[in-house]
Amino acid sequence: MHRLLVILFACFPFKASHGESLSIINANLIDGTGAAARHTSINIRNGEIVSLGAPAPGDARVLDVQGAVVIPGLIDSHVHLQSVPGAVFRKDDAQTRRSLMHRHLRAYVANGVTTVLDAAIASSAIREIRDHLANGGVGPRVMALGPTFHNPGGYMDGHLLSDYWGPRWRASATPADVDALYREYAGIADLVGVKVAVAFGFGGPIDVFDTHTPEMRKVIRERAHSHGRPIYVHVSEDRGVDIALELDAHALTHLVLEMPSPEILQRTRDQGLYVITTLSVLDVFTTRHRPERLDTPRVRMTVPAIELETARNPEAWDAFLTTFIRAVSPLSPEWFASWFGDWYLSEEWIAKEMARMQDILMAHHEAGIPVVVGTDGGSWPHFLNLFHGPSTLREMELMVEAGMTTAEVLRAATLTAAEMMGIDDIVGTVEVGKQADMIVVHGDPLEDLSVLEDLEWVIKGGEIRRPEQWMNE
């Protein structure tokens, strides 16, 4: 009978609705709390875990996972849903971008990512996503930062996002601008913080962005406190961390681009800042040298064909590298940026820089600073292959390569991320009273994260499907 039920589940998605329940039996549960793995059952009703280890209720639909491992659904804590990879090169119109964005939402769940944090999104875009999901669209639980604050001439104010980002938000030059942005985002659910851009450049000798004055930073800090929204800060170097600490920040949305001083690490730890990793922003350049990365089953299943085609296009890479070099060094003429980007961003250079960034990650981790998995999924729409969905597992693999244990990385992708967002009462672990967000795999991810490449089932809010079903139904 159980085998028949497994076959039925393979053919039909199932969602426990009011009055129905789902029971997952013969599961090896790694619940995310740090407890040892245990063989148990998981009973779900109306999308919520109602018991562990109890017999299946009489009205339950039963799924026998036959000893497979169940872990909490993954959380990617830095994505940009309105950014479509390669959109600038293709010159996608608004409808194409919207269609691809909806496809990306499916891709996250199909890759086991059941919650995301959008780290900068226009108010109209997050409202559209909310409407899409409320009306039957498939996707993860979407949390967001809003509003986002940048100074005129600051990071997020210029050509880096381009018109292909879609709608944006006004700069905040005055207290009135700050208040207007709060009104613009009023009534939007699941805003877990605000974002402040504190970036001078990309670690080069020349400052290319303007930042808020100390007076405006004080206004932003006071308003954030009064609205009860923690501050997440985009930084790239120690002086930005200084400002983040002055802002009484809650989290840094990226690792800094230089090794922090021991003093900065101690202050970061003492203030309780979380740090989101985003190693993928550098890693994606490797695909130019290793296009076979585009051929993995998971990537082929979850990345739109048009985006894979662009990521294979040498002309698209030339255009992107030119844009990237000119962002780092704005005075570079286009011909020089094109040549220099092709020569400088070699596979050897990328590997060296990745090793350096991984050392920076470990410096934070070993200092006792909580690190959280985040990819910057999508990033600028100039990026060709910071794909929504598959990048999350790659980010986790890079963290293991850096020296973190698989258990530490899984925690950074589940409970620590939920704690950072203040939603650990509903997600992050598999416990009674929480949402039924889980993934089912054959193999032990505590021993080898690569087992997450081949997911058996993904359960989001009590709805259970195979990865391909999340993409196609």
Side-chain angles (χ1 to χ4, degrees):
M1 180 63 177
H2 286 159
R3 185 172 298 277
L4 174 60
L5 287 170
V6 169
I7 293 171
L8 289 174
F9 270 100
C11 299
F12 302 101
F14 171 74
K15 183 173 182 179
S17 58
H18 184 71
E20 291 185 318
S21 60
L22 167 67
S23 184
I24 300 171
I25 64 172
N26 288 327
N28 281 315
L29 175 63
I30 301 173
D31 65 16
T33 67
R38 63 191 188 274
H39 189 267
T40 192
S41 61
I42 306 163
N43 294 316
I44 300 163
R45 185 180 294 275
N46 298 324
E48 183 179 299
I49 300 167
V50 294
S51 65
L52 297 172
D59 63 343
R61 304 280 294 276
V62 177
L63 175 63
D64 185 347
V65 295
Q66 301 177 334
V69 173
V70 177
I71 66 173
L74 303 177
I75 301 173
D76 191 326
S77 294
H78 190 145
V79 308
H80 296 290
L81 294 173
Q82 69 182 98
S83 182
V84 172
V88 175
F89 179 78
R90 294 188 303 269
K91 297 181 170 51
D92 293 344
D93 60 28
Q95 180 55 45
T96 298
R97 294 198 306 273
R98 186 177 302 109
S99 176
L100 289 170
M101 180 178 69
H102 293 168
R103 187 75 174 168
H104 299 155
L105 291 168
R106 289 178 173 270
Y108 277 110
V109 186
N111 281 277
V113 180
T114 53
T115 300
V116 299
L117 173 62
D118 196 302
I121 187 167
S123 59
S124 58
I126 187 63
R127 291 182 195 278
E128 194 279 332
I129 289 170
R130 292 270 180 267
D131 288 345
H132 173 71
L133 295 176
N135 288 290
V138 170
R141 180 171 289 98
V142 178
M143 318 307 290
L145 302 181
T148 292
F149 301 108
H150 66 265
N151 200 48
Y155 184 75
M156 308 182 83
D157 196 36
H159 68 283
L160 295 181
L161 291 187
S162 84
D163 292 340
Y164 293 93
W165 175 271
R168 300 201 216 170
W169 47 89
R170 65 174 63 82
S172 46
T174 68
D177 292 333
V178 172
D179 292 335
L181 280 165
Y182 274 108
R183 289 193 297 272
E184 182 181 323
Y185 283 78
I188 297 175
D190 297 327
L191 297 178
V192 297
V194 300
K195 184 175 183 178
V196 181
V198 179
F200 303 92
F202 297 96
I206 301 174
D207 290 347
V208 296
F209 303 121
D210 295 325
T211 60
H212 290 105
T213 64
E215 292 75 20
M216 276 300 298
R217 293 198 295 266
K218 181 179 179 181
V219 170
I220 291 169
R221 184 185 66 215
E222 291 174 348
R223 296 294 197 277
H225 285 172
S226 67
H227 283 270
R229 292 186 204 165
I231 296 175
Y232 291 63
V233 183
H234 171 104
V235 297
S236 57
E237 51 193 296
D238 273 8
R239 56 180 166 158
V241 180
D242 272 328
I243 293 173
L245 293 166
E246 167 205 313
L247 284 165
D248 192 23
H250 178 66
L252 306 180
T253 62
H254 298 274
L255 289 164
V256 292
L257 300 177
E258 59 187 6
M259 182 62 74
S261 66
E263 178 193 2
I264 285 290
L265 287 172
Q266 181 175 343
R267 292 171 62 202
T268 300
R269 180 194 61 206
D270 290 349
Q271 187 159 312
L273 264 71
Y274 293 83
V275 175
I276 303 171
T277 55
T278 68
L279 295 169
S280 294
V281 177
L282 177 61
D283 181 65
V284 292
F285 289 99
T286 304
T287 302
R288 171 170 162 259
H289 305 284
R290 297 190 181 184
E292 65 271 15
R293 286 187 172 190
L294 302 173
D295 294 324
T296 68
R298 186 167 50 90
V299 168
R300 290 201 310 268
M301 180 181 68
T302 59
V303 176
I306 191 174
E307 294 177 15
L308 291 175
E309 181 182 351
T310 304
R312 297 182 192 279
N313 188 329
E315 292 182 6
W317 276 103
D318 287 345
F320 171 49
L321 294 178
T322 299
T323 298
F324 183 80
I325 294 299
R326 295 190 76 189
V328 175
S329 180
L331 300 180
S332 300
E334 187 168 332
W335 66 267
F336 175 81
S338 177
W339 169 82
F340 187 72
D342 185 62
W343 171 79
Y344 186 62
L345 291 167
S346 65
E347 190 170 7
E348 294 74 21
W349 179 88
I350 296 165
K352 180 179 178 181
E353 285 298 295
M354 178 57 72
R356 189 178 66 83
M357 292 303 299
Q358 288 171 321
D359 286 345
I360 293 170
L361 165 63
M362 291 306 295
H364 286 83
H365 177 59
E366 291 168 356
I369 297 164
V371 296
V372 177
V373 171
T375 58
D376 206 3
S379 194
W380 317 334
H382 300 275
F383 272 79
L384 305 180
N385 63 315
L386 196 43
F387 297 131
H388 294 279
S391 297
T392 309
L393 178 55
R394 177 59 182 159
E395 185 76 26
M396 296 167 68
E397 292 169 343
L398 291 167
M399 294 167 70
V400 171
E401 290 176 11
M404 294 179 67
T405 68
T406 52
E408 290 168 339
V409 172
L410 282 170
R411 188 178 182 91
T414 53
L415 180 56
T416 305
E419 289 172 340
M420 179 185 71
M421 287 186 264
I423 57 173
D424 51 305
D425 58 328
I426 60 170
V427 296
T429 58
V430 180
E431 296 182 272
V432 173
K434 292 193 175 183
Q435 289 293 298
D437 289 4
M438 295 169 277
I439 54 182
V440 182
V441 295
H442 289 289
D444 186 354
L446 293 178
E447 295 293 330
D448 182 3
L449 278 181
S450 69
V451 301
L452 300 179
E453 293 274 0
D454 187 20
L455 303 177
E456 188 74 14
W457 302 95
V458 180
I459 306 161
K460 192 264 175 177
E463 186 172 357
I464 181 166
R465 306 184 188 189
R466 294 193 184 275
E468 58 271 21
Q469 292 173 330
W470 283 110
M471 290 305 302
N472 299 319
E473 295 183 6

